[in-house]
Amino acid sequence: QHAFVSRSGHNPAPGQQDFDASGDVLVVDTDSYQIVGDIVIPPTDELPPRPSSMLRLGDHVLVTLDRNSEDFQTTGDVELAVLSVPNQSLEFKLGLPGLKSCGRPALSPNGKQLALACTGAIGIDGSVEDVSQSALLLLDPSSTPPHEVKRFTAFDLVGGPLQRELVFASDSLLLLKTQTPYRGETNNRWLALDLDSETTTTLLEAAPDAMGLGQGLVYGSMFCAPGCSKTCLLSDADRGVLARAELQDPTHLTLVDPLFVDPNQQALLPPRDLCAR
């Protein structure tokens, strides 16, 4: 079997050894643990493609291209690369004009919708240079490449930029997080968006620091398992817990008691990431 591995780094002098082109997706044989090929993604407007997050869709893989300059001072509009799994080749590059710093596409449980969250170009303090670069996209996964069905601007949706991670809690309910700068005037929020009514509900909001300023990004990974569990989890570094919300119906989540990952508070290290077992 073969696995695809994205490489965001940029090699300005390739050709010194095999598979050193960079800005590519490596093809790895998972039985022999060897690189057996690579799919090079050409740049647009001389910006390195910076392949990052990926999603498998049947015989295709969607790859988010972050498009940062070599010094990371310039961020281009994001693109989605569509790779053929059987041919191990690039089939399409789909431009998303006006949007920057997007995450991994998420597929709805019924496979009928793709969602993509974009933050916008981010400063070192977590601030976003232009909130108009942040949005939530809904795409049709049945077409190749997927075509855009609807775009929600982050400002209209949540009053500010979004983090680039999202998850489906059900076919019609998306979980999102806000992007907030360190020592800014806003706090991280965990949000549920009902795609049918297009209404957003705040599930949780982080507390400010001792000076009354924002703590920055204290909400980490989210995890839901639609069809297997009614509980969604959030890594909450504000309280040092796993926040939990239970699905009451396909469009309604209710917060329940959190899980303490360090009940005795010995390590004092907050949770950050989540994965399925």
Side-chain angles (χ1 to χ4, degrees):
Q1 293 187 357
H2 291 161
F4 283 7
V5 180
S6 62
R7 294 199 298 182
S8 177
H10 176 63
N11 182 0
Q16 306 303 309
Q17 57 186 337
D18 292 339
F19 310 118
D20 70 348
S22 77
D24 59 355
V25 174
L26 293 179
V27 182
V28 178
D29 187 315
T30 57
D31 293 321
S32 64
Y33 303 107
Q34 292 182 336
I35 300 170
V36 295
D38 66 344
I39 304 169
V40 178
I41 301 173
T44 301
D45 300 331
E46 300 183 353
L47 285 175
R50 308 282 185 192
S52 56
S53 303
M54 299 186 291
L55 174 71
R56 175 77 180 262
L57 275 181
D59 285 338
H60 294 92
V61 171
L62 299 184
V63 187
T64 303
L65 307 181
D66 290 335
R67 304 189 61 239
N68 303 121
S69 61
E70 289 192 42
D71 60 5
F72 289 91
Q73 298 302 303
T74 301
T75 300
D77 290 351
V78 78
E79 294 177 331
L80 286 179
V82 183
L83 309 184
S84 167
V85 175
N87 299 328
Q88 298 180 6
S89 63
L90 172 66
E91 286 197 357
F92 299 97
K93 279 203 303 182
L94 174 65
L96 300 176
L99 302 181
K100 299 182 180 183
S101 187
C102 303
R104 185 191 311 278
L107 186 66
S108 62
N110 62 12
K112 294 182 178 180
Q113 291 195 94
L114 267 177
L116 182 71
C118 303
T119 300
I122 306 171
I124 58 173
D125 64 348
S127 61
V128 173
E129 68 176 19
D130 186 347
V131 71
S132 69
Q133 300 169 358
S134 182
L136 168 69
L137 295 188
L138 298 180
L139 303 105
D140 179 2
S142 66
S143 64
T144 305
H147 72 266
E148 185 175 327
V149 175
K150 191 172 184 64
R151 181 179 298 204
F152 300 87
T153 70
F155 186 82
D156 289 342
L157 200 61
V158 300
L162 293 164
Q163 287 189 47
R164 55 191 283 167
E165 183 195 15
L166 52 74
V167 295
F168 276 94
S170 69
D171 290 322
S172 57
L173 197 64
L174 266 175
L175 297 187
L176 308 162
K177 298 171 293 182
T178 57
Q179 173 75 24
T180 51
Y182 178 64
R183 299 187 68 79
E185 297 180 356
T186 56
N187 303 304
N188 261 182
R189 287 185 290 151
W190 190 25
L191 306 153
L193 169 64
D194 181 343
L195 294 173
D196 293 333
S197 65
E198 299 185 358
T199 56
T200 305
T201 302
T202 297
L203 298 171
L204 199 61
E205 182 170 352
D209 66 14
M211 301 295 293
L213 300 173
Q215 299 182 69
L217 299 184
V218 292
Y219 289 162
S221 293
M222 301 178 288
F223 179 75
C224 297
C228 296
S229 171
K230 293 184 177 181
T231 301
C232 293
L233 302 174
L234 167 75
S235 297
D236 178 0
D238 175 38
R239 298 179 296 163
V241 301
L242 292 181
R244 297 193 302 160
E246 287 191 352
L247 196 66
Q248 304 300 314
D249 59 58
T251 62
H252 184 224
L253 276 168
T254 300
L255 278 181
V256 295
D257 291 339
L259 295 175
F260 288 85
V261 295
D262 182 19
N264 298 320
Q265 296 293 302
Q266 296 295 314
L268 299 179
L269 295 174
R272 283 295 184 183
D273 203 3
L274 288 168
C275 68
R277 180 180 176 184

